[in-house]
Amino acid sequence: MPVSTSVRSMPLHPLLSEHKSESPEKAADTNLSAPEADDEDDDDSVDGPMPLDAGSANLPAEKEDDLDDDDESEDDDDDDFDVIPVTRQIKLSDHRRTVSAVSLDPSGARLVTGGRDCTVKLWDFHGMNDTFRPFRSIDEPCGGNPIRDLQFSNSGDQFLIASGSNQVKLYDREGSAVCEYTKGDMYLRDMKNTNTIRIWNVENKRQNKAVISVKSKEKGGRTAITAATYSPDGKIIAGMGQDGEFRLWATDTTMLRPTHNIEAAHMPNSVTSSVSFSLDNQSIITRSSDDTLKLWDIRSFRKPVATVTDLPCIYEESNAIFSPNNRLVVTGVSVKKGENIGKLAIFDRTNFAVVASVDVGMGSVVRVLWNGKINQICASTSEGSVHVLYDERVSVAGAKFCAGKKAKGKGVDDISFAEDDSARIIINPHALPMYRDDNFLSRRGGKRKVSKIRADPVATRKPDRPLTGPGRGGKVGTSLTNHIMKGLIKDTMRDEDPREAILKHAEEAQTNPFWIAPAYQTTQPKPIMAEKVYEDADEEDRANKKKRPN
C-alpha cells in the first residue's frame, strides 16, 4: 500500500532482520542550530585538535589496543540504539474485541490493556510463561462502557482508566480500585462547562484543578475535544477539536484562550485521535481519521513540517508516537476486517521518509507503545490481541523473560476445579460400552462420520455457560427475579367485570344445580322468596332516611 508524504512519496517496504537506519543519524546532525554550528566551526579553526596528555603520548601498544576496543564498543552501543526491535514477537490474546488502550509501567515489567469488550487485563512479564495469560482481569470496571485509554503513573504504582463514561477511575498496580473521580457538569446549566479540557488533581477526587473552555468558530460556538495531552516539561497543553482546529495553551497563564491555534489543521468533522509531543518539547505529531499523519514544530507553529497521506485510520483510539531516541515516528495502519495484515509504519522524524514497514498480525493496528528502558514495542490490534515486538540483541527483560519460559505441568493435586473450567471432568455413564445398545464406530463408515462431525464447528461448539449477574460482552444478564417472573401467569381478573363473570354461570347453575339447590329438592322444590326486605318498620325507616331524595 503506497504512502505519500508532502516531501516525497515511496511505498512501504518490508523490514530486514536487523534494520539500521542511517537517516536518523544524519537528521541528528542537521538538527544543530546555526549558532551551535558556528561555534563548532570557530572552535575547530582557532583551537585546532586537542593535544594528547603527556602520559598518553608514550602509552605502550597494549594500552592503545584497549583504548581502541573501548571506542569500538561505544560505537556498537550507538548502533544498537538505532536498531528497531522487531525481529521477534509474542502475542497476548485474552480480549474478545478490539484492544483500544495499552500502557506499560516505567520499569517495563507490567502491562495493562483495555478494550471494547469493557474489560481491563494486567500482565506481568516476570510471572508469565509461554501460555501468555494475564494474572488479573477486571470485568467492566466502568460498567458497560468501552475502555478508551489507560495510563500508568510516573512511579508505576497506580494506573488511570478512562472509558466512554464521564468518570475516570484510579487503580493500583495489583488491580484494586483506589477511587472514582466525580462526574463533570451533567446538565447544560452553564455553557462554559461543556466542551472543555479538565485538569484533575489526583489527590482530590471531587474537584477540578482547572477547566479550559474551548470555543469554536463552528455553528453554536462549540466543538468536541477528541485528543489532549501535556508536553513532557508540563508547560504546554495541546488539544485537537472535531472542528479540525489545533490549539495550544501555556500552563503558566489563565488559559482563557489558546496562546497558539491553527485552523483547519485537520479535516473538519474528522476525529484526531492522537496528539504526542517529542521529548525535546519542540515537535508534535497528530494522527487523524482523515488518513493523515502530520508533524508540527512549536517554534514555527503555522503549518505542518511534513505530512503523510493515504495512511488509513479507522479507529478513534489510533495513535502515533516518537521513538525513545526522538529520531523516528511510529504509527499503526488500519485495514478492513479479514482483508489484510496490520502493519507498523515507521518514518524518519526529519522528513517523514519511510524507514520500515513491519507486519504485526491480522486486523488493524490500533495502539502503539515503545518503552525505551526495555526497548520493546507493544502494538494492539482489532482482533483482540497485543503483540510485543523485541530484538534478542538490543532488548532487555520484558517479553524476553516469558518467551522461553515453559509452563509447568499440572499434577492431580495442582488442579483447581474452582478456577479452571477445563479441569472439570464430565462423567457420562451411558457413554461407556457396557451401556450402549450398539457401538457407533463398529458400523460401516462410522469413523468417517465421527471425523466429519468433529470437523463441523457448529456440532462441536462448546455450549455457553449460563450468564448470571449483569450482562457483559453484548449478552443480556439474568437474575433470580427474572427467573421467577418467567414462571408466573398473568392474572387478568382485574380486567373483567365481576357481575358478568358471575352471570355467565347462571344458566348452568339453574339447569344443573350442585351446591344449595339439591338440598331443597324434596322439601321445597319451588323456591319461595321473602316478601319483605326489612324485618321491622324501624329498619325500613332508617333505610329510607339514608336514601337520597329524587
Side-chain angles (χ1 to χ4, degrees):
M1 177 180 59
V3 175
S4 60
T5 67
S6 60
V7 180
R8 58 176 173 173
S9 176
M10 60 188 302
L12 296 174
H13 58 82
L15 184 69
L16 300 177
S17 59
E18 290 182 358
H19 179 80
K20 298 182 180 180
S21 172
E22 296 181 358
S23 56
E25 296 177 358
K26 297 179 181 178
D29 295 336
T30 58
N31 280 338
L32 292 174
S33 59
E36 293 175 351
D38 294 341
D39 293 342
E40 291 180 358
D41 294 341
D42 295 340
D43 294 341
D44 294 341
S45 61
V46 176
D47 297 335
M50 295 295 293
L52 294 175
D53 295 337
S56 62
N58 298 322
L59 285 175
E62 295 180 357
K63 296 292 184 180
E64 292 180 358
D65 293 341
D66 294 339
L67 291 175
D68 294 339
D69 293 340
D70 294 340
D71 294 339
E72 291 178 0
S73 62
E74 291 177 0
D75 294 339
D76 292 340
D77 293 340
D78 293 339
D79 293 339
D80 292 346
F81 194 68
D82 293 334
V83 175
I84 304 174
V86 292
T87 56
R88 295 177 180 273
Q89 67 169 280
I90 63 172
K91 182 179 180 181
L92 310 178
S93 300
D94 203 62
H95 287 275
R96 298 185 299 272
R97 298 182 66 184
T98 301
V99 180
S100 53
V102 179
S103 182
L104 264 170
D105 69 343
S107 64
R110 284 197 175 175
L111 175 71
V112 58
T113 61
R116 293 191 174 183
D117 56 358
C118 309
T119 62
V120 173
K121 299 183 184 295
L122 287 87
W123 316 74
D124 188 358
F125 289 121
H126 294 271
M128 279 195 303
N129 50 38
D130 58 1
T131 58
F132 306 129
R133 304 292 295 176
F135 74 90
R136 182 73 186 272
S137 181
I138 308 174
D139 293 334
E140 299 187 358
C142 303
N145 296 287
I147 308 302
R148 301 299 300 272
D149 200 3
L150 296 166
Q151 186 63 49
F152 264 106
S153 62
N154 293 334
S155 59
D157 59 339
Q158 295 176 333
F159 64 91
L160 198 66
I161 302 177
S163 66
S165 66
N166 56 357
Q167 286 182 280
V168 292
K169 291 188 176 182
L170 189 67
Y171 280 72
D172 62 14
R173 64 182 287 111
E174 301 299 331
S176 300
V178 177
C179 69
E180 182 179 24
Y181 292 91
T182 185
K183 295 181 180 180
D185 192 356
M186 297 177 290
Y187 308 102
L188 300 180
R189 296 174 299 184
D190 192 347
M191 297 309 297
K192 71 179 183 180
N193 291 330
T194 61
N195 302 301
T196 59
I197 297 175
R198 295 175 180 263
I199 303 173
W200 296 82
N201 188 346
V202 178
E203 303 298 332
N204 188 356
K205 65 180 181 179
R206 297 187 178 276
Q207 188 176 5
N208 300 123
K209 184 177 181 181
V211 178
I212 304 174
S213 180
V214 181
K215 298 179 181 179
S216 174
K217 294 183 179 179
E218 295 288 322
K219 186 177 180 180
R222 302 187 304 274
T223 182
I225 304 301
T226 58
T229 186
Y230 264 108
S231 61
D233 59 2
K235 296 181 179 180
I236 300 175
I237 295 176
M240 283 293 304
Q242 200 165 0
D243 57 354
E245 185 173 347
F246 196 4
R247 302 169 178 86
L248 299 180
W249 292 269
T251 57
D252 57 354
T253 63
T254 57
M255 295 184 288
L256 295 177
R257 62 183 61 187
T259 55
H260 298 81
N261 66 304
I262 300 177
E263 296 181 8
H266 282 279
M267 183 185 298
N269 297 323
S270 65
V271 176
T272 302
S273 56
S274 172
V275 177
S276 300
F277 276 88
S278 60
L279 296 179
D280 57 8
N281 303 290
Q282 296 178 357
S283 300
I284 306 176
I285 50 175
T286 56
R287 186 79 163 97
S288 177
S289 60
D290 59 3
D291 297 344
T292 61
L293 175 68
K294 295 185 178 183
L295 176 66
W296 310 82
D297 192 337
I298 298 179
R299 296 166 296 183
S300 179
F301 198 66
R302 297 183 183 88
K303 60 181 181 179
V305 178
T307 302
V308 180
T309 58
D310 300 330
L311 200 63
C313 177
I314 300 175
Y315 293 88
E316 296 181 357
E317 297 86 4
S318 298
N319 70 330
I321 59 171
F322 286 96
S323 63
N325 60 4
N326 256 359
R327 298 178 181 177
L328 304 174
V329 174
V330 185
T331 187
V333 181
S334 299
V335 295
K336 293 182 179 180
K337 186 174 181 179
E339 182 180 282
N340 208 341
I341 296 176
K343 296 178 181 291
L344 280 179
I346 304 176
F347 304 92
D348 186 355
R349 171 186 171 180
T350 56
N351 55 10
F352 268 14
V354 180
V355 175
S357 172
V358 184
D359 292 342
V360 176
M362 296 301 297
S364 302
V365 177
V366 183
R367 299 289 288 190
V368 182
L369 176 66
W370 192 338
N371 186 288
K373 186 168 185 178
I374 62 177
N375 200 14
Q376 296 178 19
I377 301 175
C378 299
S380 68
T381 67
S382 59
E383 298 296 318
S385 61
V386 178
H387 298 256
V388 183
L389 295 88
Y390 64 98
D391 187 279
E392 286 287 354
R393 186 165 61 90
V394 299
S395 300
V396 294
K400 293 178 65 177
F401 271 123
C402 55
K405 188 187 296 185
K406 298 296 181 182
K408 180 182 176 182
K410 287 187 177 181
V412 177
D413 298 334
D414 298 331
I415 298 177
S416 176
F417 293 95
E419 298 178 358
D420 190 1
D421 293 338
S422 62
R424 301 183 181 183
I425 303 173
I426 300 175
I427 301 175
N428 182 9
H430 296 284
L432 300 175
M434 65 179 67
Y435 294 103
R436 296 179 186 172
D437 295 335
D438 56 346
N439 193 348
F440 179 78
L441 295 178
S442 63
R443 303 176 188 172
R444 186 175 181 181
K447 292 184 177 180
R448 289 196 301 270
K449 292 181 180 179
V450 171
S451 61
K452 185 176 181 181
I453 292 174
R454 288 179 177 175
D456 186 2
V458 178
T460 57
R461 183 181 180 277
K462 181 181 177 181
D464 294 334
R465 298 181 64 186
L467 187 64
T468 58
R472 60 179 180 272
K475 297 181 179 179
V476 179
T478 59
S479 62
L480 180 61
T481 304
N482 294 343
H483 180 71
I484 295 174
M485 293 301 294
K486 288 180 181 179
L488 295 179
I489 300 174
K490 184 178 179 181
D491 189 2
T492 59
M493 291 183 63
R494 293 180 178 272
D495 300 334
E496 297 180 1
D497 185 5
R499 184 173 182 277
E500 294 181 356
I502 296 174
L503 290 178
K504 69 181 181 181
H505 301 287
E507 183 178 355
E508 183 181 358
Q510 186 175 2
T511 56
N512 187 19
F514 181 77
W515 296 108
I516 300 175
Y520 299 96
Q521 285 291 338
T522 51
T523 59
Q524 190 179 337
K526 185 179 179 180
I528 300 174
M529 303 299 178
E531 296 180 356
K532 294 183 179 181
V533 178
Y534 306 104
E535 295 182 356
D536 53 15
D538 295 337
E539 185 178 358
E540 185 177 359
D541 293 339
R542 290 194 298 270
N544 292 331
K545 290 179 180 179
K546 293 180 180 179
K547 292 181 180 181
R548 294 181 179 180
N550 295 331

